[in-house]
Amino acid sequence: MNIWLVRHGQTDYNLEHRIQGRSNMPLNATGIAQAERVRKKIEEIGVSFDAVYSSPLKRAVKTASIVGNIDPDNIKIDKRIIEVNFGDFEGRHWKDKDSMPLTRYWSAPMYFKRPEGVEPVKHMEKRADAFLSEIEALDHDNVLVVCHGGIIRVLRRYLEDNPEKIDLFHWNILRVKNCQVCEYKTLENGKHKRIRIIQA
């Protein structure tokens, strides 16, 4: 099975460098164009998807519909791949003075104190691992999974066979851009191989 992880396209909050989390922002025009470019690149490879999964947030659902070339009603919505909950920080600019506790924590959550109301990374790992374990048990060739920058770091940690605890090095290299695609193949021994990365 090949699992295609895709971060949603750009939103106005992304453009404005605002903390987005579970704020239900739509794609902007750039985000839609990014998703359309990715769809064309995947079509050129000759891949079609047996199943398309998405976070419940509309920016992810719209991206999944475009990239997967599928009606939104046929997308499998899964709350386990929703973005991290940033609590009261959502909507603020990342560089605002009041955002500094979150900005510091999110740059290295293994070293800095988690602000109250922000979802712990361990909780993200638990839901991400449960989701991927379930997906890998399916009899599919290609599965598209569209979600968000934060939860994708944790999903990629699983698919890159990293230790349960993410260190600072992996936390940074597992970051993805809007509409970036990471394709992984699940091997017979249960390990994974990264096949390619596609930029929007």
Side-chain angles (χ1 to χ4, degrees), residues 21-22 55-56 78-86 106 119-135 147-148 150-152 154-155 157-158:
R22 296 188 183 178
S55 152
D78 200 306
K79 293 181 180 179
R80 291 174 294 183
I81 53 173
I82 197 171
E83 182 59 305
V84 56
N85 187 347
F86 286 127
W106 198 241
E119 181 183 11
V121 172
K122 282 187 176 180
H123 185 265
M124 296 170 65
E125 290 177 342
K126 185 176 180 180
R127 56 188 174 92
D129 289 4
F131 170 77
L132 286 172
S133 295
E134 189 175 300
I135 294 300
C147 48
H148 311 271
I151 191 65
I152 279 181
V154 182
L155 292 164
R157 184 271 306 165
Y158 177 103

Side-chain angles (χ1 to χ4, degrees), residues 2-7 143-145 152 156 159-160 173-177 179-185 194-199:
N2 285 21
I3 298 174
W4 300 67
L5 287 183
V6 183
R7 184 184 176 190
V143 175
L144 176 66
V145 177
I152 279 181
R156 289 190 69 196
L159 291 170
E160 302 224 357
I173 66 169
L174 298 178
R175 185 177 181 180
V176 296
K177 298 177 181 179
C179 245
Q180 182 173 316
V181 182
C182 301
E183 180 192 359
Y184 293 90
K185 184 176 186 63
R194 190 174 67 201
I195 305 297
R196 73 188 98 210
I197 291 180
I198 300 173
Q199 305 287 352

Side-chain angles (χ1 to χ4, degrees), residues 77-102:
I77 304 299
D78 200 306
K79 293 181 180 179
R80 291 174 294 183
I81 53 173
I82 197 171
E83 182 59 305
V84 56
N85 187 347
F86 286 127
D88 292 339
F89 292 95
E90 296 197 6
R92 299 179 186 176
H93 286 92
W94 279 101
K95 293 186 178 180
D96 282 353
K97 182 179 179 181
D98 291 343
S99 301
M100 283 301 107
L102 177 64

Side-chain angles (χ1 to χ4, degrees), residues 11-198:
T11 69
D12 285 346
Y13 267 24
N14 293 140
L15 184 62
E16 297 164 4
H17 304 290
R18 290 183 182 271
I19 298 165
Q20 193 160 216
R22 296 188 183 178
S23 299
N24 205 3
M25 302 299 295
L27 296 184
N28 59 22
T30 297
I32 291 172
Q34 289 172 330
E36 289 173 344
R37 287 198 298 272
V38 166
R39 181 185 66 202
K40 289 179 181 177
K41 290 180 180 181
I42 291 175
E43 286 175 348
E44 288 171 359
I45 297 169
V47 169
S48 60
F49 298 105
D50 302 299
V52 177
Y53 289 81
S54 174
S55 152
L57 299 178
K58 55 190 174 185
R59 60 187 183 271
V61 174
K62 180 67 172 179
T63 303
S65 177
I66 295 172
V67 173
N69 197 22
I70 186 174
D71 188 283
D73 291 339
N74 294 325
I75 295 171
K76 300 177 188 298
I77 304 299
D78 200 306
K79 293 181 180 179
R80 291 174 294 183
I81 53 173
I82 197 171
E83 182 59 305
V84 56
N85 187 347
F86 286 127
D88 292 339
F89 292 95
E90 296 197 6
R92 299 179 186 176
H93 286 92
W94 279 101
K95 293 186 178 180
D96 282 353
K97 182 179 179 181
D98 291 343
S99 301
M100 283 301 107
L102 177 64
T103 302
R104 194 163 45 242
Y105 165 73
W106 198 241
S107 69
M110 61 292 300
Y111 297 127
F112 293 105
K113 181 180 178 181
R114 176 178 56 86
E116 186 177 350
V118 175
E119 181 183 11
V121 172
K122 282 187 176 180
H123 185 265
M124 296 170 65
E125 290 177 342
K126 185 176 180 180
R127 56 188 174 92
D129 289 4
F131 170 77
L132 286 172
S133 295
E134 189 175 300
I135 294 300
E136 288 181 310
L138 301 174
D139 185 22
H140 291 325
D141 291 326
N142 289 284
V143 175
L144 176 66
V145 177
V146 181
C147 48
H148 311 271
I151 191 65
I152 279 181
R153 293 192 197 195
V154 182
L155 292 164
R156 289 190 69 196
R157 184 271 306 165
Y158 177 103
L159 291 170
E160 302 224 357
D161 303 313
N162 289 326
E164 286 188 13
K165 186 176 180 181
I166 302 177
D167 58 26
L168 183 58
F169 173 75
H170 288 107
W171 185 251
N172 287 316
I173 66 169
L174 298 178
R175 185 177 181 180
V176 296
K177 298 177 181 179
N178 285 117
C179 245
Q180 182 173 316
V181 182
C182 301
E183 180 192 359
Y184 293 90
K185 184 176 186 63
T186 299
L187 305 176
E188 290 184 2
N189 61 3
K191 297 292 185 179
H192 308 88
K193 180 180 180 181
R194 190 174 67 201
I195 305 297
R196 73 188 98 210
I197 291 180
I198 300 173

